[in-house]
């Protein structure tokens, strides 16, 4: 994985590294979480929430890999893999937009024969990962799925990906927070598809002016820590408080060592309203 990532992929090819996680330890010997290891090897990570998104994000993953010259990680979890669903197979979807890259290194982003680990690292950090983020932004992979269409100053934003996003949707239903009530309260839900490295433009636009961002994630915090780094230097009026594993006072809020249930998420959301 490491050598393939560093050397990139052929311009006509694409590599999708699918990895399976079993957060509650239902069918595995350990209750594991793998995106940290994949990110440590420099691979962007996509996280589908549904069986339908296996197809859509899978095709985007191959396109992202070809565009950025990099392997792309694809996180799947047992709850989704073991599900049965009806999906739409449309040869015209997804519509893929290839962004124009401002600058390319000599020789481009793709595979080269020469053994050059130091410059490979430079190409990865300065060009390949930003190209993956640019692809995510150009194709709207990270998006607002519920709630206020415009930012209401002082409001709550919820950030969740993959299965946690499904749990958030159920939690909103249990709280009877339909589209009308979410709009009135100014609450919105942001669903990243690219969970590493987080795409900064869309995230900052979602965060701007909100009082709090609540990160709902299975297991250890992952996106929350990235967001803290991305949003830290925003002006005070534009920088929300980040909540997730802890509340504003540092007390435990959402568990990091047990399976999250929609009722737990509903209680956490209710505590912020």
């Amino acid at each position: 994985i490491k050598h393939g990532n560093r050397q990139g992929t052929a311009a006509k090819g694409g590599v999708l590294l699918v990895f399976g996680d079993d957060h509650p330890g239902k069918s595995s010997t350990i209750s594991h979480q793998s995106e940290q290891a994949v990110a440590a090897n420099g691979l962007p990570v996509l996280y589908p929430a549904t069986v339908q998104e296996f197809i859509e994000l899978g095709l985007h993953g191959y396109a992202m890999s070809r565009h950025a010259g990099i392997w792309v990680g694809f996180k799947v979890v047992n709850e989704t893999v073991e599900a049965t669903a009806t999906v739409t197979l449309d040869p015209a979807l997804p519509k893929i937009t290839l962004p124009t890259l401002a600058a390319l290194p000599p020789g481009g982003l793709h595979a080269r024969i020469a053994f050059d680990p130091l410059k490979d690292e430079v190409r990865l950090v300065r060009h390949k990962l930003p190209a993956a983020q640019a692809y995510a932004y150009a194709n709207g992979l990270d998006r607002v799925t519920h709630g206020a269409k415009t930012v209401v100053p002082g409001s709550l934003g919820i950030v969740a990906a993959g299965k946690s996003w499904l749990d958030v949707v159920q939690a909103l239903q249990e709280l009877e927070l339909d589209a009308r009530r979410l709009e009135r309260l100014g609450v919105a839900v942001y669903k990243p598809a690219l969970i590493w490295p987080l795409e900064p433009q869309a995230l900052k636009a979602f965060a701007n002016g909100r009082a709090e961002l609540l990160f709902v994630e299975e297991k250890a915090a992952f996106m929350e820590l990235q967001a803290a780094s991305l949003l830290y230097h925003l002006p005070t009026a534009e920088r929300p408080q980040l909540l997730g594993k802890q509340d504003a006072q540092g007390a435990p809020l959402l568990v990091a060592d047990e399976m999250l249930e929609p009722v737990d998420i509903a209680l956490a959301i209710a505590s912020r309203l």
Side-chain angles (χ1 to χ4, degrees):
I1 294 172
K2 184 174 182 180
H3 287 295
N5 158 50
R6 302 302 181 176
Q7 295 296 337
T9 58
K12 294 183 180 180
V15 179
L16 200 66
L17 175 69
V18 181
F19 60 97
D21 275 342
D22 182 11
H23 295 146
K26 290 181 177 179
S27 56
S28 305
T29 56
I30 57 173
S31 176
H32 51 82
Q33 180 181 16
S34 303
E35 54 262 39
Q36 294 92 337
V38 177
N41 281 278
L43 275 66
V45 179
L46 295 172
Y47 186 10
T50 64
V51 177
Q52 179 71 46
E53 288 188 353
F54 279 12
I55 299 170
E56 296 168 359
L57 281 185
L59 292 172
H60 274 301
Y62 282 117
M64 178 186 290
S65 176
R66 292 191 294 268
H67 175 68
I70 192 172
W71 289 25
V72 173
F74 195 78
K75 176 183 173 73
V76 299
V77 295
N78 61 338
E79 290 91 346
T80 312
V81 169
E82 296 173 0
T84 300
T86 300
V87 300
T88 300
L89 299 176
D90 186 342
L93 296 176
K95 182 179 179 181
I96 291 173
T97 300
L98 298 180
T100 301
L101 301 177
L104 292 174
L109 295 178
H110 296 89
R112 60 201 67 222
I113 298 175
F115 178 70
D116 191 6
L118 295 180
K119 290 185 179 178
D120 281 341
E121 185 77 9
V122 171
R123 281 187 286 269
L124 172 70
V125 174
R126 298 185 188 181
H127 301 284
K128 292 172 182 276
L129 292 176
Q133 291 173 314
Y135 180 94
Y137 184 77
N139 288 275
L141 300 189
D142 305 338
R143 56 193 175 90
V144 178
T145 62
H146 294 73
K149 296 180 176 60
T150 57
V151 176
V152 177
S155 61
L156 171 68
I158 303 169
V159 182
K163 180 187 174 293
S164 289
W165 176 81
L166 296 174
D167 292 336
V168 166
V169 172
Q170 185 173 340
L172 295 177
Q173 293 172 352
E174 293 180 359
L175 291 169
E176 298 183 357
L177 292 174
D178 57 16
R180 181 182 59 84
R181 295 186 68 190
L182 288 172
E183 187 75 29
R184 179 168 57 84
L185 292 169
V187 176
V189 179
Y190 182 71
K191 177 178 175 288
L194 182 66
I195 63 172
W196 191 88
L198 280 181
E199 195 287 309
Q201 293 187 68
L203 176 65
K204 289 179 179 178
F206 178 74
N208 186 10
R210 298 191 186 275
E212 296 179 343
L213 291 187
L214 173 62
F215 284 80
V216 180
E217 305 182 77
E218 304 111 328
K219 307 294 287 183
F222 186 64
M223 295 187 297
E224 181 183 353
L225 303 181
Q226 297 178 66
S229 176
L230 290 173
L231 303 177
Y232 180 82
H233 294 290
L234 290 179
T236 302
E238 300 176 12
R239 185 176 64 243
Q241 187 163 33
L242 303 187
L243 312 173
K245 299 308 173 184
Q246 296 179 334
D247 64 15
Q249 287 71 46
L253 183 58
L254 294 172
V255 295
D257 51 7
E258 293 179 357
M259 184 176 178
L260 277 179
E261 298 287 354
V263 64
D264 301 317
I265 299 169
L267 291 171
I269 294 173
S271 73
R272 309 319 308 165
L273 297 180

